[in-house]
Amino acid sequence: MQNTIINLCDSLNRAIHEPLYHNFYNIPDELKYNQTFTSIDLIEDSQIAIEEFENAKSDGKDGRSTLLIYGLLQSFFLQQDALYHLYKCVINDKIKLIEFFDLFSFDKEVREVRNDIAGHPTDRNKTEFYFIAKGTISKYRFTYAGYTPNFRKVEVDLKAFISKQFDFTYRVQQTIQDDINKKIEMKKTEHRDIKLKEMIVGLDRNIQLIYRGIRDNERSFQGEWGISSVKDNIDKIRHELNLRYNENLPIGISESLRIIDYIIYRLNQWWNENTLLGNADAEIFLDSLKKQLEELEEMLTEIDEKFNK
């Protein structure tokens, strides 16, 4: 059962680093991003601690498991705080803690017990004082008492608390996951009708014009048309990609465009210097351009497929 929580942590970590989410919601606010992934880590670490409690043997003095109790209650508290801050980072940074608990119908007794006996038990709310009852206690059940100033006695069922914590944690994680997925889907929808691959189709014709500029004495003037057309198409593709990825292009695309830009720059430079015709270096550059455009087309096809899933 608990592994579901850890699996959701893994899923959430992947989701927040999905470029369509990360580029728009994390990179612009580094502080919030840092809090987002550390909150996910803390949810996972706390869950591991809860599992360790369930697997541990209670061999304390006279059967007491005070250390386990303190550790479990603190793990609950840390996980609750991490869930709250993760929710604030992803969904609603204005929500108050009590509103957050009410939203998910969380049994606040789980948190109150921790505050009573593992928070500030000898100075609770300045007027309340608590202690764990002495004597033999089981791993999952114990009694604590205190003065409010009236004497108060509380029976605690940790197995029930673990179940409530799991249910709360799972529902919060799933809500956050759904919100991230919704935001990613919205980004996809904005660009779904624009096919990037179609923006590169037809460049073969422009490659032929550039080749004439290098090798055809009579039609070498067409080389300029080919160079400018390729540049215009690449600029349009770059603009659309930047809209999709908020100026943070995937490394493969970024490197491909960088190389293509340089090839176009050199070809244009040779044209302006009137040294394109008969230029062997330009012919090698043109061959490299064709290969780069083929690789770019493959990457754009993959992006089109991703945006249409």
Side-chain angles (χ1 to χ4, degrees), residues 24 187-188 190-196 199 233-247 249 300 303-304 307:
F24 289 93
K187 288 298 175 184
K188 288 183 178 180
E190 290 177 12
H191 303 275
R192 186 161 287 157
D193 294 335
I194 300 175
K195 307 300 182 186
L196 291 167
M199 300 175 72
N233 277 48
I234 293 300
D235 287 344
K236 291 176 182 177
I237 291 170
R238 180 187 290 104
H239 176 71
E240 175 61 23
L241 286 168
N242 281 329
L243 290 177
R244 296 185 185 210
Y245 293 101
N246 200 24
E247 307 288 335
L249 302 185
L300 295 181
I303 293 175
D304 282 341
F307 272 75

Side-chain angles (χ1 to χ4, degrees), residues 103-141:
L103 179 65
F104 290 94
S105 302
F106 177 60
D107 184 353
K108 290 181 279 295
E109 183 187 5
V110 179
R111 192 172 181 88
E112 287 299 311
V113 169
R114 177 269 178 192
N115 286 336
D116 284 347
I117 65 173
H120 302 282
T122 58
D123 190 24
R124 181 88 161 100
N125 298 323
K126 305 298 182 182
T127 60
E128 301 176 25
F129 317 106
Y130 293 98
F131 59 92
I132 297 178
K134 297 299 186 285
T136 301
I137 57 178
S138 71
K139 177 178 175 180
Y140 287 104
R141 289 183 177 276

Side-chain angles (χ1 to χ4, degrees), residues 10-257:
D10 292 339
S11 179
L12 283 167
N13 192 53
R14 290 193 299 272
I16 67 168
H17 290 98
E18 162 63 44
L20 295 183
Y21 181 84
H22 184 68
N23 292 350
F24 289 93
Y25 299 99
N26 290 334
I27 290 178
D29 191 336
E30 185 178 3
L31 186 65
K32 182 179 288 187
Y33 167 61
N34 292 338
Q35 189 176 29
T36 300
F37 74 78
T38 53
S39 294
I40 294 172
D41 284 346
L42 184 53
I43 293 167
E44 181 176 0
D45 289 343
S46 300
Q47 189 61 39
I48 291 171
I50 294 170
E51 290 184 33
E52 289 174 350
F53 170 88
E54 293 187 284
N55 294 327
K57 293 182 179 180
S58 178
D59 295 327
K61 182 179 178 181
D62 298 324
R64 293 172 62 83
S65 53
T66 310
L67 179 60
L68 293 179
I69 291 171
Y70 285 154
L72 179 64
L73 293 176
Q74 190 65 14
S75 297
F76 286 159
F77 196 91
L78 292 172
Q79 192 171 65
Q80 292 154 18
D81 279 0
L83 289 163
Y84 170 58
H85 290 121
L86 180 60
Y87 186 90
K88 288 186 68 176
C89 287
V90 175
I91 297 180
N92 181 3
D93 62 357
K94 305 298 182 184
I95 194 169
K96 303 299 182 184
L97 183 61
I98 188 67
E99 296 171 340
F100 171 68
F101 287 146
D102 289 342
L103 179 65
F104 290 94
S105 302
F106 177 60
D107 184 353
K108 290 181 279 295
E109 183 187 5
V110 179
R111 192 172 181 88
E112 287 299 311
V113 169
R114 177 269 178 192
N115 286 336
D116 284 347
I117 65 173
H120 302 282
T122 58
D123 190 24
R124 181 88 161 100
N125 298 323
K126 305 298 182 182
T127 60
E128 301 176 25
F129 317 106
Y130 293 98
F131 59 92
I132 297 178
K134 297 299 186 285
T136 301
I137 57 178
S138 71
K139 177 178 175 180
Y140 287 104
R141 289 183 177 276
F142 70 95
T143 302
Y144 75 94
Y147 301 89
T148 66
N150 296 324
F151 186 74
R152 177 183 175 223
K153 186 178 179 181
V154 181
E155 302 288 340
V156 178
D157 181 352
L158 290 177
K159 189 175 285 290
F161 276 16
I162 290 173
S163 179
K164 291 176 181 179
Q165 182 82 7
F166 172 84
D167 180 64
F168 169 65
T169 302
Y170 177 84
R171 286 187 292 114
V172 174
Q173 285 182 299
Q174 193 61 62
T175 298
I176 294 170
Q177 178 77 65
D178 290 345
D179 185 83
I180 293 173
N181 290 342
K182 180 179 179 181
K183 289 172 179 174
I184 292 173
E185 187 61 28
M186 287 174 60
K187 288 298 175 184
K188 288 183 178 180
T189 301
E190 290 177 12
H191 303 275
R192 186 161 287 157
D193 294 335
I194 300 175
K195 307 300 182 186
L196 291 167
K197 182 180 178 180
E198 293 179 0
M199 300 175 72
I200 205 170
V201 172
L203 287 185
D204 287 347
R205 170 62 177 166
N206 296 311
I207 294 295
Q208 293 177 10
L209 296 180
I210 298 173
Y211 183 76
R212 290 174 184 173
I214 298 172
R215 304 299 300 172
D216 192 326
N217 285 311
E218 294 183 3
R219 296 181 292 182
S220 62
F221 64 91
Q222 295 180 0
E224 182 184 18
W225 301 347
I227 295 170
S228 61
S229 293
V230 172
K231 183 180 185 305
D232 288 345
N233 277 48
I234 293 300
D235 287 344
K236 291 176 182 177
I237 291 170
R238 180 187 290 104
H239 176 71
E240 175 61 23
L241 286 168
N242 281 329
L243 290 177
R244 296 185 185 210
Y245 293 101
N246 200 24
E247 307 288 335
N248 293 285
L249 302 185
I251 185 64
I253 289 283
S254 180
E255 281 299 295
S256 180
L257 292 178

